[in-house]
Amino acid sequence: ILYYRDRDDKNIDIKMETGTGKTYVYTRAMYELHQRFGIFKFVIVVPTPAIKEGTKNFIQSSYAKQHFAQFYGNTRIDLNVINAGDFKAKSGRKNFPAHLTNFIEGSRQNANTIQVLLINAGMLNSKSMKKSDYDQTLIGGTTQPLEAIQQTRPIVIIDEPHRFPRDKANYKAIEALKPQTIIRFGATFPDVTVGSGRNRQVKKDYYRGEPQYNLNAVDSFNNGLVKGIDIFYPNLSEQQARKSWIVDKVSAKELILKQGDIHKTLYVGDNLSDVDDDFEGDVVYAGSKVLSNDLELSKGMILIPGTFQASYQEMIIEDALNEHFRKEQENFFRLNN
């Protein structure tokens, strides 16, 4: 981080599967960077208020504090959370929110404190953060929140990076903070289109062409970070199982299914039963590569008409419940070692 911070390739991508502990990892990363290099200003940017609340609850939880105290002693995170209502004028004065002021003015005097600002994308990109008419000045005499945060030269952590394409306003608001480094943690990353015509292709937009660390699904399972699952399918007759249609082409307005040499075209609003009578349940092509039952389509996907029957879907739910309680009973009566 320190070596690359003034270069174009200073930013870092950490790819982690869902459920493997991204929040834990980037929280511990802040402790580590503080312990090793004395870095104490971090901004965590999340896509939504709901995710912001989850991150806040984890960092402020007693169990997280106790856990990190085992490794970092008396070092603590001073978490400052910015919400939309924090910018409302009080007593006729327009001041910065208290949490924002606390983050910006936090100094190295308390060597055991890490200053963290937690904010969602909409709030960061809001007019309130860009206004300069506040009745208060901070570092260097600035009256604009974004400029004040710039002066702290923070490290920015992005959660759910696929929600922050680099050509969109929310990412540009992050760049406006002029961070030393941006570290993105996520299971998926935004797409970028390169080339044109026949050479046009869509690929993942990583900072340096690939993640600097990639915790994939197999490694996650082998390391015990996620649980394995059993997949159980109710039985279909052999004839039903073999009778499948393949998505040959799908666009915003058109869906083409094929079965051997047979091709069937559906347009927005057309019912799948027009292709095959076994497609039950009144499912239509809703357009934008989605069926009316919210199933997202892609080229090469296999559709089995028998699984669209209401009776089959009810069977799946019934069997899932029965299998769940069977497993619960099995676990309840197992012998303790």
Side-chain angles (χ1 to χ4, degrees), residues 262-309:
I262 302 172
H263 289 74
K264 297 284 187 176
T265 301
L266 294 170
Y267 299 99
V268 176
D270 287 348
N271 201 302
L272 263 65
S273 62
D274 295 339
V275 172
D276 192 315
D277 291 338
D278 286 342
F279 278 115
E280 296 182 7
D282 195 29
V283 179
V284 303
Y285 182 51
S288 300
K289 302 183 180 182
V290 178
L291 296 179
S292 59
N293 62 358
D294 293 329
L295 178 65
E296 295 185 9
L297 302 173
S298 60
K299 182 178 174 62
M301 181 181 288
I302 298 174
L303 304 181
I304 301 175
T307 63
F308 284 74
Q309 298 174 6

Side-chain angles (χ1 to χ4, degrees), residues 71-94:
F71 307 101
Y72 306 102
N74 295 327
T75 300
R76 69 181 186 90
I77 287 179
D78 185 9
L79 184 65
N80 300 279
V81 184
I82 304 299
N83 300 303
D86 295 345
F87 284 92
K88 291 182 179 179
K90 297 178 181 179
S91 302
R93 289 181 58 83
K94 289 185 64 177

